[in-house]
Amino acid sequence: MTATVDPLLALSLFEAVRAVDMPSGEYDAEYVHELRNKRFGLSDTVSSQIRRFNEAVRRNQQTPFDEAVALATLVGRRPDAEAVFREGGRILARRAYEMISPLTRRLMLSLPSLLSRPIALRRARRITRRYTGGAVRRVGATLLLEVAHSVTLHAAPRLSGCTYYESMLHELMQLLGGNVGPVDHVRCAGRGEGVCQWRAEWRPVGPGAR
């Protein structure tokens, strides 16, 4: 069976390219037509792919793993690849969080930490399993994300593609509630360590925090 990934992963990379290439300020806006010819993220190709993957997300049509890797490799050729991967991770986290029911989101933010954190952790596990093929577990006051088959592992020099998952974990846990410290890439398959692992401190905030 051909390996696949959730289409939201590919969509997040295309949306990140568009977001990073989007002009800012009045000066750039005056030259938007010229910028469309220079910035890939503003091209018709990217717009078409964003529409395509939005439809795939709506239909829950899986994306071949190799196609996602090819997309990540394309991103990795950019001089600002790390910024695009970081933005892509944040987009993936936000889009996945938006799919959680509003009631559950309110509960995670309003309940005492003793009750809300187990809910948040369960959601984090479901989201990372579905969208990254990874697994999250709690180790004391820290969270550990492990991804055995990274789409972005060899996408860019100096393993900067791994920042995609780093950024996703940080953004997701912030959204789910809690104070998330810096995310450390503690193991990397690119360094011959078998799998990629990221670790972050996750402390409660709000009612009942301790």
Side-chain angles (χ1 to χ4, degrees):
M1 182 179 295
T2 303
T4 60
V5 298
D6 192 281
L8 186 57
L9 189 153
L11 176 61
S12 72
L13 290 174
F14 274 116
E15 289 191 337
V17 169
R18 182 174 64 181
V20 171
D21 284 352
M22 187 67 67
S24 59
E26 295 181 1
Y27 178 83
D28 282 344
E30 295 177 2
Y31 299 96
V32 65
H33 294 295
E34 289 82 354
L35 286 171
R36 286 186 183 277
N37 295 324
K38 297 178 181 178
R39 297 186 181 182
F40 181 60
L42 305 181
S43 68
D44 291 339
T45 298
V46 169
S47 295
S48 175
Q49 291 300 314
I50 287 174
R51 289 193 298 271
R52 172 195 168 199
F53 282 105
N54 266 313
E55 181 65 14
V57 169
R58 189 180 71 82
R59 294 176 177 271
N60 194 26
Q61 296 174 336
Q62 295 296 289
T63 299
F65 184 87
D66 289 346
E67 183 179 351
V69 170
L71 171 57
T73 302
L74 180 64
V75 171
R77 294 175 183 154
R78 294 171 56 115
D80 58 354
E82 184 172 335
V84 177
F85 283 125
R86 288 190 181 278
E87 180 63 17
R90 288 190 288 266
I91 290 171
L92 178 64
R94 293 168 192 157
R95 291 288 296 266
Y97 178 75
E98 289 169 1
M99 295 181 188
I100 300 173
S101 73
L103 175 59
T104 300
R105 280 184 273 167
R106 286 196 298 271
L107 287 174
M108 286 188 291
L109 296 176
S110 62
L111 287 173
S113 174
L114 184 64
L115 300 176
S116 64
R117 282 165 69 80
I119 299 174
L121 186 56
R122 285 195 297 272
R123 290 292 172 176
R125 286 171 172 160
R126 292 178 190 174
I127 287 170
T128 54
R129 182 172 59 250
R130 174 173 178 176
Y131 298 112
T132 72
V136 166
R137 68 178 187 270
R138 184 177 176 183
V139 182
T142 66
L143 293 175
L144 192 68
L145 167 64
E146 181 174 301
V147 177
H149 304 289
S150 166
V151 166
T152 63
L153 178 61
H154 299 296
R158 299 180 299 279
L159 302 174
S160 61
C162 293
T163 57
Y164 177 81
Y165 296 90
E166 172 190 324
S167 177
M168 184 281 300
L169 178 62
H170 188 274
E171 183 75 8
L172 178 63
M173 299 318 298
Q174 288 278 64
L175 290 168
L176 291 174
N179 184 18
V180 184
V183 178
D184 298 319
H185 195 187
V186 293
R187 292 183 65 188
C188 185
R191 298 193 295 260
E193 295 167 345
V195 296
C196 282
Q197 288 183 342
W198 294 263
R199 181 176 60 207
E201 186 178 20
W202 185 46
R203 297 196 176 277
V205 296
R210 51 181 171 272

